[in-house]
Amino acid sequence: MPACALLGLAAGGAYGVLKAPEYAATSYVVAVPDDTTEPATALGFAQAYARIATSSSTLAYAQPRAGISAAKLRTQVRAETSPESPMIAITGTSKSPAEAADVANAVADALSLSSNQAAKNTGVQLLLFNQAVAPSEPASPSAAISGAVGLCAGGLLGGLWLLARPGRARRGEESTARAAAGSPVASAVEPAAPAPVEEYASLPAQGEPTSAKEKESVR
Protein backbone atom coordinates (compact mmCIF):
# COMPACT_ATOMS: atom_id res chain seq x y z
CA MET A 1 0.00 0.00 0.00
CA PRO A 2 2.76 2.57 0.74
CA ALA A 3 4.41 1.69 -2.57
CA CYS A 4 1.17 2.32 -4.47
CA ALA A 5 0.66 5.61 -2.62
CA LEU A 6 4.17 6.81 -3.47
CA LEU A 7 3.73 5.77 -7.09
CA GLY A 8 0.47 7.75 -7.29
CA LEU A 9 2.15 10.77 -5.67
CA ALA A 10 4.95 10.68 -8.25
CA ALA A 11 2.53 10.30 -11.17
CA GLY A 12 0.26 13.12 -9.96
CA GLY A 13 3.16 15.47 -9.31
CA ALA A 14 4.68 14.77 -12.72
CA TYR A 15 1.34 15.45 -14.40
CA GLY A 16 0.96 18.77 -12.58
CA VAL A 17 4.48 19.86 -13.53
CA LEU A 18 4.49 18.74 -17.17
CA LYS A 19 0.95 19.83 -18.13
CA ALA A 20 0.71 23.43 -19.34
CA PRO A 21 -1.44 25.65 -17.08
CA GLU A 22 -4.91 26.57 -18.33
CA TYR A 23 -6.61 29.90 -17.67
CA ALA A 24 -10.32 30.69 -17.52
CA ALA A 25 -12.14 34.03 -17.85
CA THR A 26 -15.89 34.60 -17.48
CA SER A 27 -18.18 37.21 -19.01
CA TYR A 28 -21.78 37.73 -17.83
CA VAL A 29 -24.87 38.74 -19.80
CA VAL A 30 -28.36 39.20 -18.36
CA ALA A 31 -31.78 38.80 -19.96
CA VAL A 32 -33.89 41.94 -19.42
CA PRO A 33 -37.66 41.98 -20.19
CA ASP A 34 -39.37 45.03 -21.64
CA ASP A 35 -42.46 46.73 -20.22
CA THR A 36 -44.86 44.22 -21.75
CA THR A 37 -43.05 41.04 -20.72
CA GLU A 38 -43.23 39.09 -17.48
CA PRO A 39 -39.96 38.53 -15.54
CA ALA A 40 -40.53 34.76 -15.68
CA THR A 41 -40.41 35.01 -19.48
CA ALA A 42 -36.96 36.57 -19.29
CA LEU A 43 -35.85 33.70 -17.09
CA GLY A 44 -37.02 31.17 -19.68
CA PHE A 45 -35.28 33.03 -22.52
CA ALA A 46 -32.06 33.11 -20.49
CA GLN A 47 -32.15 29.31 -20.35
CA ALA A 48 -32.74 29.15 -24.10
CA TYR A 49 -29.97 31.60 -24.96
CA ALA A 50 -27.52 29.69 -22.79
CA ARG A 51 -28.14 26.61 -24.93
CA ILE A 52 -27.41 28.44 -28.19
CA ALA A 53 -24.34 30.27 -26.87
CA THR A 54 -22.09 27.55 -28.27
CA SER A 55 -24.10 26.92 -31.46
CA SER A 56 -22.54 27.24 -34.89
CA SER A 57 -24.32 30.52 -35.70
CA THR A 58 -23.19 32.24 -32.50
CA LEU A 59 -19.61 31.04 -32.88
CA ALA A 60 -19.59 32.26 -36.48
CA TYR A 61 -20.34 35.78 -35.17
CA ALA A 62 -17.69 35.48 -32.45
CA GLN A 63 -14.90 33.97 -34.57
CA PRO A 64 -13.56 37.20 -36.15
CA ARG A 65 -13.15 38.95 -32.79
CA ALA A 66 -11.74 35.90 -31.02
CA GLY A 67 -9.15 35.45 -33.76
CA ILE A 68 -9.34 31.65 -33.80
CA SER A 69 -11.28 29.16 -35.91
CA ALA A 70 -14.86 28.27 -35.03
CA ALA A 71 -13.93 24.62 -34.48
CA LYS A 72 -11.27 25.56 -31.93
CA LEU A 73 -13.51 28.18 -30.39
CA ARG A 74 -16.15 25.53 -29.68
CA THR A 75 -13.68 23.61 -27.50
CA GLN A 76 -12.66 26.71 -25.52
CA VAL A 77 -16.00 28.15 -24.46
CA ARG A 78 -18.91 27.03 -22.29
CA ALA A 79 -22.11 28.72 -21.12
CA GLU A 80 -23.88 28.21 -17.79
CA THR A 81 -27.00 29.61 -16.23
CA SER A 82 -29.07 29.22 -13.09
CA PRO A 83 -32.76 28.23 -12.99
CA GLU A 84 -33.33 31.05 -10.48
CA SER A 85 -31.55 33.91 -12.27
CA PRO A 86 -31.78 35.32 -15.84
CA MET A 87 -27.99 35.68 -15.98
CA ILE A 88 -25.74 33.71 -18.33
CA ALA A 89 -22.07 33.05 -17.52
CA ILE A 90 -19.87 32.56 -20.60
CA THR A 91 -16.43 31.17 -19.77
CA GLY A 92 -13.49 31.08 -22.14
CA THR A 93 -10.47 28.83 -21.54
CA SER A 94 -7.00 28.97 -23.01
CA LYS A 95 -3.33 28.52 -22.20
CA SER A 96 -3.04 32.30 -22.49
CA PRO A 97 -4.86 34.58 -20.00
CA ALA A 98 -5.52 37.27 -22.61
CA GLU A 99 -6.90 34.77 -25.12
CA ALA A 100 -9.24 33.30 -22.50
CA ALA A 101 -10.72 36.77 -21.87
CA ASP A 102 -11.02 37.48 -25.60
CA VAL A 103 -12.89 34.23 -26.19
CA ALA A 104 -15.41 34.93 -23.41
CA ASN A 105 -16.03 38.51 -24.50
CA ALA A 106 -16.34 37.60 -28.18
CA VAL A 107 -18.98 34.96 -27.53
CA ALA A 108 -20.87 37.23 -25.10
CA ASP A 109 -21.01 40.04 -27.68
CA ALA A 110 -22.07 37.66 -30.43
CA LEU A 111 -24.84 36.18 -28.29
CA SER A 112 -26.12 39.64 -27.33
CA LEU A 113 -26.11 40.81 -30.95
CA SER A 114 -27.96 37.80 -32.31
CA SER A 115 -30.56 37.79 -29.52
CA ASN A 116 -31.27 41.52 -29.69
CA GLN A 117 -32.14 41.20 -33.36
CA ALA A 118 -35.25 39.28 -32.26
CA ALA A 119 -35.95 41.42 -29.16
CA LYS A 120 -39.00 43.05 -30.77
CA ASN A 121 -40.64 39.67 -31.18
CA THR A 122 -39.51 38.06 -27.92
CA GLY A 123 -39.82 41.06 -25.62
CA VAL A 124 -36.44 40.14 -24.04
CA GLN A 125 -32.99 41.48 -24.81
CA LEU A 126 -29.55 40.48 -23.56
CA LEU A 127 -27.35 43.13 -21.98
CA LEU A 128 -23.69 42.82 -21.12
CA PHE A 129 -23.48 42.74 -17.33
CA ASN A 130 -19.73 42.24 -16.83
CA GLN A 131 -16.85 41.81 -19.26
CA ALA A 132 -14.20 39.15 -18.77
CA VAL A 133 -10.69 40.21 -17.78
CA ALA A 134 -7.44 38.32 -18.13
CA PRO A 135 -6.99 36.08 -15.06
CA SER A 136 -3.83 36.30 -12.99
CA GLU A 137 -3.82 32.66 -11.84
CA PRO A 138 -4.44 29.45 -13.78
CA ALA A 139 -7.65 27.49 -13.28
CA SER A 140 -5.96 24.11 -13.71
CA PRO A 141 -4.78 22.31 -10.54
CA SER A 142 -1.23 22.94 -9.35
CA ALA A 143 1.47 20.29 -8.99
CA ALA A 144 0.79 20.03 -5.24
CA ILE A 145 -2.93 19.34 -5.77
CA SER A 146 -2.21 16.85 -8.55
CA GLY A 147 0.30 15.08 -6.31
CA ALA A 148 -2.23 14.90 -3.46
CA VAL A 149 -4.87 13.45 -5.77
CA GLY A 150 -2.37 10.89 -7.06
CA LEU A 151 -1.38 9.98 -3.50
CA CYS A 152 -5.00 9.33 -2.51
CA ALA A 153 -5.69 7.35 -5.67
CA GLY A 154 -2.58 5.22 -5.22
CA GLY A 155 -3.39 4.52 -1.57
CA LEU A 156 -6.94 3.54 -2.51
CA LEU A 157 -5.76 1.14 -5.21
CA GLY A 158 -3.22 -0.37 -2.81
CA GLY A 159 -5.90 -0.90 -0.17
CA LEU A 160 -8.21 -2.57 -2.67
CA TRP A 161 -5.39 -4.87 -3.74
CA LEU A 162 -4.74 -5.86 -0.14
CA LEU A 163 -8.42 -6.60 0.40
CA ALA A 164 -8.57 -8.81 -2.67
CA ARG A 165 -5.29 -10.64 -1.99
CA PRO A 166 -6.31 -12.91 0.99
CA GLY A 167 -9.26 -14.29 -0.95
CA ARG A 168 -7.00 -15.38 -3.79
CA ALA A 169 -4.53 -16.98 -1.36
CA ARG A 170 -7.28 -19.00 0.32
CA ARG A 171 -8.65 -20.18 -3.00
CA GLY A 172 -5.14 -21.24 -4.03
CA GLU A 173 -4.64 -23.23 -0.81
CA GLU A 174 -7.98 -24.98 -1.23
CA SER A 175 -7.17 -25.91 -4.82
CA THR A 176 -3.79 -27.32 -3.72
CA ALA A 177 -5.42 -29.37 -0.97
CA ARG A 178 -8.02 -30.79 -3.35
CA ALA A 179 -5.35 -31.68 -5.89
CA ALA A 180 -3.24 -33.43 -3.23
CA ALA A 181 -6.25 -35.42 -1.97
CA GLY A 182 -7.02 -36.76 -5.44
CA SER A 183 -3.42 -37.63 -6.44
CA PRO A 184 -2.29 -41.33 -6.89
CA VAL A 185 0.34 -40.94 -4.18
CA ALA A 186 -2.28 -40.03 -1.60
CA SER A 187 -4.35 -43.02 -2.64
CA ALA A 188 -1.33 -45.32 -2.29
CA VAL A 189 -0.57 -44.29 1.27
CA GLU A 190 -4.10 -44.79 2.48
CA PRO A 191 -4.37 -47.92 4.70
CA ALA A 192 -6.10 -50.87 3.13
CA ALA A 193 -9.41 -51.91 4.63
CA PRO A 194 -9.30 -55.19 6.57
CA ALA A 195 -10.60 -58.21 4.67
CA PRO A 196 -13.86 -59.64 6.01
CA VAL A 197 -13.49 -62.77 8.15
CA GLU A 198 -15.68 -65.65 7.12
CA GLU A 199 -16.91 -68.05 9.73
CA TYR A 200 -17.58 -71.68 8.91
CA ALA A 201 -19.44 -74.19 11.03
CA SER A 202 -17.27 -77.06 12.19
CA LEU A 203 -18.18 -80.51 10.95
CA PRO A 204 -19.20 -83.08 13.57
CA ALA A 205 -16.73 -85.83 14.32
CA GLN A 206 -17.44 -89.39 13.43
CA GLY A 207 -19.24 -91.36 16.06
CA GLU A 208 -21.25 -88.43 17.40
CA PRO A 209 -24.99 -88.98 17.47
CA THR A 210 -27.20 -87.39 14.90
CA SER A 211 -28.76 -85.03 17.42
CA ALA A 212 -25.33 -83.71 18.29
CA LYS A 213 -24.55 -83.18 14.63
CA GLU A 214 -27.80 -81.18 14.25
CA LYS A 215 -26.99 -79.12 17.31
CA GLU A 216 -23.50 -78.41 15.96
CA SER A 217 -24.99 -77.47 12.61
CA VAL A 218 -27.42 -75.13 14.33
CA ARG A 219 -24.53 -73.52 16.28
Side-chain angles (χ1 to χ4, degrees):
M1 185 174 178
C4 292
L6 290 177
L7 182 61
L9 175 62
Y15 175 81
V17 171
L18 297 177
K19 186 180 183 300
E22 188 176 68
Y23 295 86
T26 303
S27 179
Y28 296 93
V29 293
V30 61
V32 179
D34 58 15
D35 297 336
T36 61
T37 306
E38 296 290 335
T41 304
L43 182 61
F45 273 101
Q47 302 289 331
Y49 285 135
R51 294 187 182 94
I52 66 173
T54 56
S55 63
S56 300
S57 58
T58 305
L59 296 181
Y61 278 112
Q63 187 267 333
R65 178 177 176 180
I68 57 179
S69 63
K72 186 178 180 182
L73 183 61
R74 187 187 301 275
T75 63
Q76 294 183 213
V77 66
R78 65 178 184 271
E80 300 173 347
T81 187
S82 170
E84 300 177 355
S85 173
M87 186 172 293
I88 305 172
I90 301 174
T91 303
T93 58
S94 176
K95 296 179 181 179
S96 168
E99 185 177 347
D102 290 341
V103 167
N105 291 327
V107 175
D109 290 342
L111 183 62
S112 300
L113 178 62
S114 61
S115 64
N116 291 339
Q117 290 177 353
K120 293 182 180 181
N121 298 325
T122 61
V124 176
Q125 62 177 346
L126 290 182
L127 299 179
L128 183 63
F129 185 79
N130 187 22
Q131 278 192 336
V133 295
S136 58
E137 297 181 357
S140 57
S142 61
I145 297 178
S146 299
V149 173
L151 177 66
C152 296
L156 178 61
L157 293 177
L160 293 176
W161 181 78
L162 288 178
L163 290 176
R165 182 183 176 186
R168 292 197 301 267
R170 285 195 300 268
R171 289 194 296 268
E173 292 175 358
E174 292 175 358
S175 301
T176 304
R178 287 196 297 268
S183 63
V185 177
S187 301
V189 299
E190 290 182 357
V197 179
E198 297 182 359
E199 295 182 358
Y200 299 93
S202 60
L203 297 177
Q206 294 182 359
E208 291 184 358
T210 305
S211 59
K213 293 179 180 180
E214 291 176 357
K215 292 178 179 180
E216 186 66 19
S217 297
V218 171
R219 287 197 299 271

Short mmCIF file of all heavy atoms in Angstrom, two decimals, residues 166-201:
data_model
loop_
_atom_site.label_atom_id
_atom_site.label_comp_id
_atom_site.label_asym_id
_atom_site.label_seq_id
_atom_site.Cartn_x
_atom_site.Cartn_y
_atom_site.Cartn_z
N PRO A 166 -6.07 -11.72 0.16
CA PRO A 166 -6.31 -12.91 0.99
C PRO A 166 -7.30 -13.88 0.38
O PRO A 166 -7.16 -15.09 0.52
CB PRO A 166 -6.85 -12.31 2.29
CG PRO A 166 -6.35 -10.92 2.31
CD PRO A 166 -6.33 -10.49 0.88
N GLY A 167 -8.30 -13.40 -0.31
CA GLY A 167 -9.26 -14.29 -0.95
C GLY A 167 -8.60 -15.15 -2.00
O GLY A 167 -8.87 -16.36 -2.10
N ARG A 168 -7.69 -14.58 -2.78
CA ARG A 168 -7.00 -15.38 -3.79
C ARG A 168 -6.09 -16.41 -3.15
O ARG A 168 -5.93 -17.52 -3.64
CB ARG A 168 -6.19 -14.45 -4.72
CG ARG A 168 -7.06 -13.57 -5.60
CD ARG A 168 -6.23 -13.01 -6.74
NE ARG A 168 -5.09 -12.24 -6.25
CZ ARG A 168 -5.11 -10.93 -6.06
NH1 ARG A 168 -6.23 -10.26 -6.28
NH2 ARG A 168 -4.04 -10.29 -5.64
N ALA A 169 -5.43 -16.03 -2.03
CA ALA A 169 -4.53 -16.98 -1.36
C ALA A 169 -5.32 -18.17 -0.81
O ALA A 169 -4.90 -19.32 -0.92
CB ALA A 169 -3.78 -16.28 -0.24
N ARG A 170 -6.48 -17.90 -0.22
CA ARG A 170 -7.28 -19.00 0.32
C ARG A 170 -7.77 -19.91 -0.78
O ARG A 170 -7.77 -21.14 -0.63
CB ARG A 170 -8.46 -18.43 1.11
CG ARG A 170 -8.08 -17.87 2.47
CD ARG A 170 -9.32 -17.66 3.32
NE ARG A 170 -10.25 -16.73 2.69
CZ ARG A 170 -10.24 -15.43 2.92
NH1 ARG A 170 -9.34 -14.89 3.72
NH2 ARG A 170 -11.12 -14.64 2.34
N ARG A 171 -8.19 -19.34 -1.90
CA ARG A 171 -8.65 -20.18 -3.00
C ARG A 171 -7.50 -21.03 -3.54
O ARG A 171 -7.69 -22.18 -3.92
CB ARG A 171 -9.24 -19.31 -4.11
CG ARG A 171 -10.57 -18.69 -3.75
CD ARG A 171 -11.25 -18.12 -4.99
NE ARG A 171 -10.49 -17.03 -5.57
CZ ARG A 171 -10.68 -15.76 -5.24
NH1 ARG A 171 -11.59 -15.44 -4.34
NH2 ARG A 171 -9.97 -14.81 -5.81
N GLY A 172 -6.27 -20.46 -3.57
CA GLY A 172 -5.14 -21.24 -4.03
C GLY A 172 -4.82 -22.40 -3.09
O GLY A 172 -4.49 -23.51 -3.53
N GLU A 173 -4.90 -22.16 -1.77
CA GLU A 173 -4.64 -23.23 -0.81
C GLU A 173 -5.68 -24.34 -0.91
O GLU A 173 -5.37 -25.52 -0.84
CB GLU A 173 -4.60 -22.65 0.60
CG GLU A 173 -3.40 -21.72 0.85
CD GLU A 173 -3.48 -21.08 2.22
OE1 GLU A 173 -4.47 -21.35 2.92
OE2 GLU A 173 -2.56 -20.32 2.56
N GLU A 174 -6.95 -23.97 -1.10
CA GLU A 174 -7.98 -24.98 -1.23
C GLU A 174 -7.79 -25.80 -2.49
O GLU A 174 -7.99 -27.02 -2.48
CB GLU A 174 -9.36 -24.30 -1.23
CG GLU A 174 -9.73 -23.66 0.11
CD GLU A 174 -11.03 -22.91 0.03
OE1 GLU A 174 -11.60 -22.87 -1.10
OE2 GLU A 174 -11.48 -22.38 1.05
N SER A 175 -7.41 -25.16 -3.58
CA SER A 175 -7.17 -25.91 -4.82
C SER A 175 -6.01 -26.87 -4.65
O SER A 175 -6.05 -28.01 -5.12
CB SER A 175 -6.90 -24.93 -5.97
OG SER A 175 -7.99 -24.07 -6.15
N THR A 176 -4.94 -26.44 -3.95
CA THR A 176 -3.79 -27.32 -3.72
C THR A 176 -4.18 -28.51 -2.86
O THR A 176 -3.76 -29.65 -3.10
CB THR A 176 -2.67 -26.53 -3.05
OG1 THR A 176 -2.35 -25.39 -3.86
CG2 THR A 176 -1.43 -27.39 -2.90
N ALA A 177 -5.01 -28.26 -1.84
CA ALA A 177 -5.42 -29.37 -0.97
C ALA A 177 -6.28 -30.37 -1.72
O ALA A 177 -6.13 -31.59 -1.57
CB ALA A 177 -6.18 -28.81 0.23
N ARG A 178 -7.20 -29.87 -2.57
CA ARG A 178 -8.02 -30.79 -3.35
C ARG A 178 -7.19 -31.59 -4.33
O ARG A 178 -7.42 -32.79 -4.54
CB ARG A 178 -9.12 -30.00 -4.08
CG ARG A 178 -10.23 -29.50 -3.18
CD ARG A 178 -11.43 -29.09 -4.01
NE ARG A 178 -11.09 -27.97 -4.90
CZ ARG A 178 -11.27 -26.70 -4.58
NH1 ARG A 178 -11.75 -26.36 -3.38
NH2 ARG A 178 -10.95 -25.76 -5.43
N ALA A 179 -6.20 -30.95 -4.94
CA ALA A 179 -5.35 -31.68 -5.89
C ALA A 179 -4.52 -32.75 -5.18
O ALA A 179 -4.32 -33.85 -5.69
CB ALA A 179 -4.44 -30.69 -6.62
N ALA A 180 -4.03 -32.44 -3.98
CA ALA A 180 -3.24 -33.43 -3.23
C ALA A 180 -4.10 -34.60 -2.77
O ALA A 180 -3.66 -35.76 -2.75
CB ALA A 180 -2.57 -32.76 -2.03
N ALA A 181 -5.37 -34.34 -2.43
CA ALA A 181 -6.25 -35.42 -1.97
C ALA A 181 -6.59 -36.37 -3.10
O ALA A 181 -6.78 -37.57 -2.89
CB ALA A 181 -7.52 -34.83 -1.37
N GLY A 182 -6.66 -35.89 -4.32
CA GLY A 182 -7.02 -36.76 -5.44
C GLY A 182 -5.84 -37.32 -6.19
O GLY A 182 -6.02 -37.98 -7.22
N SER A 183 -4.60 -37.13 -5.74
CA SER A 183 -3.42 -37.63 -6.44
C SER A 183 -3.23 -39.11 -6.18
O SER A 183 -3.66 -39.65 -5.17
CB SER A 183 -2.18 -36.85 -5.99
OG SER A 183 -1.95 -37.07 -4.62
N PRO A 184 -2.54 -39.90 -7.09
CA PRO A 184 -2.29 -41.33 -6.89
C PRO A 184 -1.43 -41.61 -5.68
O PRO A 184 -1.58 -42.64 -5.03
CB PRO A 184 -1.59 -41.76 -8.19
CG PRO A 184 -1.94 -40.71 -9.18
CD PRO A 184 -2.09 -39.46 -8.41
N VAL A 185 -0.53 -40.70 -5.32
CA VAL A 185 0.34 -40.94 -4.18
C VAL A 185 -0.46 -40.97 -2.90
O VAL A 185 -0.27 -41.81 -2.03
CB VAL A 185 1.44 -39.84 -4.12
CG1 VAL A 185 2.30 -40.03 -2.89
CG2 VAL A 185 2.27 -39.88 -5.38
N ALA A 186 -1.45 -40.04 -2.79
CA ALA A 186 -2.28 -40.03 -1.60
C ALA A 186 -3.13 -41.28 -1.50
O ALA A 186 -3.37 -41.81 -0.42
CB ALA A 186 -3.17 -38.79 -1.60
N SER A 187 -3.57 -41.79 -2.65
CA SER A 187 -4.35 -43.02 -2.64
C SER A 187 -3.52 -44.21 -2.23
O SER A 187 -3.99 -45.16 -1.61
CB SER A 187 -4.95 -43.25 -4.03
OG SER A 187 -5.77 -42.17 -4.39
N ALA A 188 -2.20 -44.19 -2.61
CA ALA A 188 -1.33 -45.32 -2.29
C ALA A 188 -1.01 -45.40 -0.81
O ALA A 188 -0.82 -46.49 -0.26
CB ALA A 188 -0.03 -45.24 -3.10
N VAL A 189 -0.94 -44.26 -0.13
CA VAL A 189 -0.57 -44.29 1.27
C VAL A 189 -1.76 -44.51 2.18
O VAL A 189 -1.59 -44.66 3.38
CB VAL A 189 0.13 -42.97 1.66
CG1 VAL A 189 1.39 -42.78 0.87
CG2 VAL A 189 -0.82 -41.79 1.47
N GLU A 190 -2.96 -44.53 1.64
CA GLU A 190 -4.10 -44.79 2.48
C GLU A 190 -4.08 -46.24 2.96
O GLU A 190 -3.79 -47.15 2.18
CB GLU A 190 -5.39 -44.52 1.70
CG GLU A 190 -5.61 -43.04 1.41
CD GLU A 190 -6.91 -42.83 0.68
OE1 GLU A 190 -7.56 -43.85 0.37
OE2 GLU A 190 -7.26 -41.68 0.42
N PRO A 191 -4.37 -46.54 4.20
CA PRO A 191 -4.37 -47.92 4.70
C PRO A 191 -5.48 -48.72 4.06
O PRO A 191 -6.57 -48.22 3.83
CB PRO A 191 -4.58 -47.75 6.21
CG PRO A 191 -5.27 -46.43 6.34
CD PRO A 191 -4.73 -45.57 5.23
N ALA A 192 -5.13 -49.99 3.76
CA ALA A 192 -6.10 -50.87 3.13
C ALA A 192 -7.12 -51.33 4.16
O ALA A 192 -6.81 -51.54 5.33
CB ALA A 192 -5.39 -52.09 2.52
N ALA A 193 -8.34 -51.48 3.73
CA ALA A 193 -9.41 -51.91 4.63
C ALA A 193 -9.22 -53.38 4.97
O ALA A 193 -8.79 -54.19 4.13
CB ALA A 193 -10.76 -51.71 3.96
N PRO A 194 -9.46 -53.77 6.20
CA PRO A 194 -9.30 -55.19 6.57
C PRO A 194 -10.28 -56.07 5.82
O PRO A 194 -11.42 -55.70 5.58
CB PRO A 194 -9.56 -55.19 8.07
CG PRO A 194 -10.41 -53.97 8.30
CD PRO A 194 -9.94 -52.95 7.30
N ALA A 195 -9.75 -57.26 5.40
CA ALA A 195 -10.60 -58.21 4.67
C ALA A 195 -11.61 -58.82 5.60
O ALA A 195 -11.33 -59.07 6.78
CB ALA A 195 -9.72 -59.30 4.04
N PRO A 196 -12.83 -59.04 5.15
CA PRO A 196 -13.86 -59.64 6.01
C PRO A 196 -13.50 -61.09 6.40
O PRO A 196 -12.93 -61.85 5.61
CB PRO A 196 -15.10 -59.59 5.14
CG PRO A 196 -14.59 -59.54 3.75
CD PRO A 196 -13.30 -58.77 3.80
N VAL A 197 -13.78 -61.43 7.63
CA VAL A 197 -13.49 -62.77 8.15
C VAL A 197 -14.73 -63.62 8.01
O VAL A 197 -15.82 -63.25 8.47
CB VAL A 197 -13.05 -62.70 9.64
CG1 VAL A 197 -12.77 -64.07 10.17
CG2 VAL A 197 -11.84 -61.79 9.77
N GLU A 198 -14.56 -64.74 7.32
CA GLU A 198 -15.68 -65.65 7.12
C GLU A 198 -15.65 -66.72 8.20
O GLU A 198 -14.60 -67.27 8.55
CB GLU A 198 -15.60 -66.30 5.74
CG GLU A 198 -15.69 -65.26 4.60
CD GLU A 198 -15.64 -65.95 3.26
OE1 GLU A 198 -15.52 -67.19 3.25
OE2 GLU A 198 -15.74 -65.25 2.23
N GLU A 199 -16.78 -67.02 8.72
CA GLU A 199 -16.91 -68.05 9.73
C GLU A 199 -17.59 -69.28 9.14
O GLU A 199 -18.57 -69.16 8.40
CB GLU A 199 -17.76 -67.52 10.91
CG GLU A 199 -17.08 -66.38 11.66
CD GLU A 199 -17.94 -65.94 12.82
OE1 GLU A 199 -19.04 -66.51 12.99
OE2 GLU A 199 -17.48 -65.02 13.54
N TYR A 200 -17.03 -70.41 9.41
CA TYR A 200 -17.58 -71.68 8.91
C TYR A 200 -17.94 -72.57 10.10
O TYR A 200 -17.21 -72.65 11.10
CB TYR A 200 -16.56 -72.43 8.04
CG TYR A 200 -16.15 -71.64 6.81
CD1 TYR A 200 -15.04 -70.82 6.83
CD2 TYR A 200 -16.93 -71.71 5.66
CE1 TYR A 200 -14.68 -70.08 5.71
CE2 TYR A 200 -16.57 -70.97 4.54
CZ TYR A 200 -15.45 -70.17 4.57
OH TYR A 200 -15.10 -69.45 3.47
N ALA A 201 -19.03 -73.26 9.97
CA ALA A 201 -19.44 -74.19 11.03
C ALA A 201 -18.59 -75.45 10.98
O ALA A 201 -18.28 -75.97 9.91
CB ALA A 201 -20.91 -74.56 10.85
#
